[in-house]
Amino acid sequence: MKHPIDGAYGIRFENKTSHVSTAILYGLFLFTFIIRKYFWGYIFNPLQEGEYNIPLDILTITVVILFTTMCSYLVVTITDGESTFKQTLHTVVYSLTPYIILQWIMIGLSNVLTLNERFIIDFGSVLIITWVIAIMFVGLAELNGYRYLEMIRTIFLTLFTVLVLSLTIFIVYTLSIQLVSFIMAVFSEVVNRYG
């Protein structure tokens, strides 16, 4: 957490991470995310009381992280990066450590502070997100042997890949729904006419 370059070196060359430790850390991240979403102070929480959908939240976060990691790995593979998918996924999950640790402080503060002290909550949230992004950026750059300008280019290519694949999935989903609707309409017409 303090030295992302050393962490990336440990992941890449020393095999200091395992699937079990990554799964435990990811489970802690999901738990922290759920607690933050549903136990955030009522003054700052935009959720209405009773709007709980924990399985959908877990599925959404997991799909977003896996999809983005997969796109990042695809871009890195094409641009001569040196990491494997396992190393990329472990780096992404381990970079979430500041969120796991510091979000508990923010949850406590959100239940104590007033609306006039919202800047403390906002500053803390920005600090956590910035720290996670910085660790992820430095870790992935070191993991792939990139200079920082190459990593910035890779990030833009990854975002473009995420956008293109998301649009492709959306178009295929929409067309498949229309195809099923068309087949059902034809089937019901045949049944009504000849049935």
Side-chain angles (χ1 to χ4, degrees):
M1 192 162 86
K2 294 189 316 189
H3 301 288
I5 294 173
D6 294 339
Y9 183 85
I11 289 173
R12 184 171 172 202
F13 295 112
E14 298 173 352
N15 264 349
K16 285 192 172 180
T17 62
S18 68
H19 292 306
V20 174
S21 64
T22 302
I24 290 170
L25 200 59
Y26 185 68
L28 287 172
F29 166 73
L30 286 176
F31 180 71
T32 304
F33 177 80
I34 295 299
I35 295 297
R36 188 251 183 244
K37 184 171 182 180
Y38 295 114
F39 291 98
W40 197 245
Y42 71 93
I43 294 175
F44 306 107
N45 197 346
L47 286 177
Q48 296 293 326
E49 193 65 33
E51 288 184 7
Y52 303 119
N53 197 349
I54 294 173
L56 182 63
D57 292 336
I58 292 172
L59 181 68
T60 302
I61 290 296
T62 303
V63 166
V64 166
I65 287 178
L66 284 176
F67 188 67
T68 307
T69 303
M70 180 192 69
C71 290
S72 174
Y73 175 68
L74 291 174
V75 169
V76 164
T77 302
I78 292 171
T79 58
D80 296 328
E82 300 170 359
S83 68
T84 64
F85 181 75
K86 172 190 167 194
Q87 293 169 344
T88 304
L89 182 62
H90 288 201
T91 301
V92 168
V93 171
Y94 272 81
S95 66
L96 297 172
T97 304
Y99 181 90
I100 296 168
I101 294 171
L102 299 176
Q103 200 57 253
W104 290 97
I105 297 169
M106 299 306 295
I107 292 168
L109 286 175
S110 74
N111 286 296
V112 174
L113 296 177
T114 64
L115 201 54
N116 291 336
E117 298 157 332
R118 182 182 183 100
F119 72 92
I120 297 172
I121 299 290
D122 294 340
F123 178 74
S125 298
V126 168
L127 179 71
I128 292 169
I129 291 169
T130 305
W131 196 354
V132 167
I133 290 172
I135 289 175
M136 197 176 299
F137 180 84
V138 171
L140 289 174
E142 290 298 318
L143 197 64
N144 291 298
Y146 288 156
R147 292 189 186 97
Y148 292 120
L149 289 177
E150 291 174 314
M151 191 61 203
I152 291 171
R153 181 181 59 111
T154 302
I155 287 172
F156 283 120
L157 287 173
T158 300
L159 293 175
F160 179 73
T161 305
V162 167
L163 177 69
V164 168
L165 286 178
S166 299
L167 286 174
T168 303
I169 290 170
F170 176 73
I171 290 169
V172 168
Y173 173 75
T174 304
L175 289 176
S176 64
I177 292 295
Q178 288 181 355
L179 179 66
V180 168
S181 175
F182 174 73
I183 291 171
M184 295 288 284
V186 168
F187 182 73
S188 67
E189 183 69 29
V190 168
V191 167
N192 288 337
R193 185 170 295 245
Y194 297 110

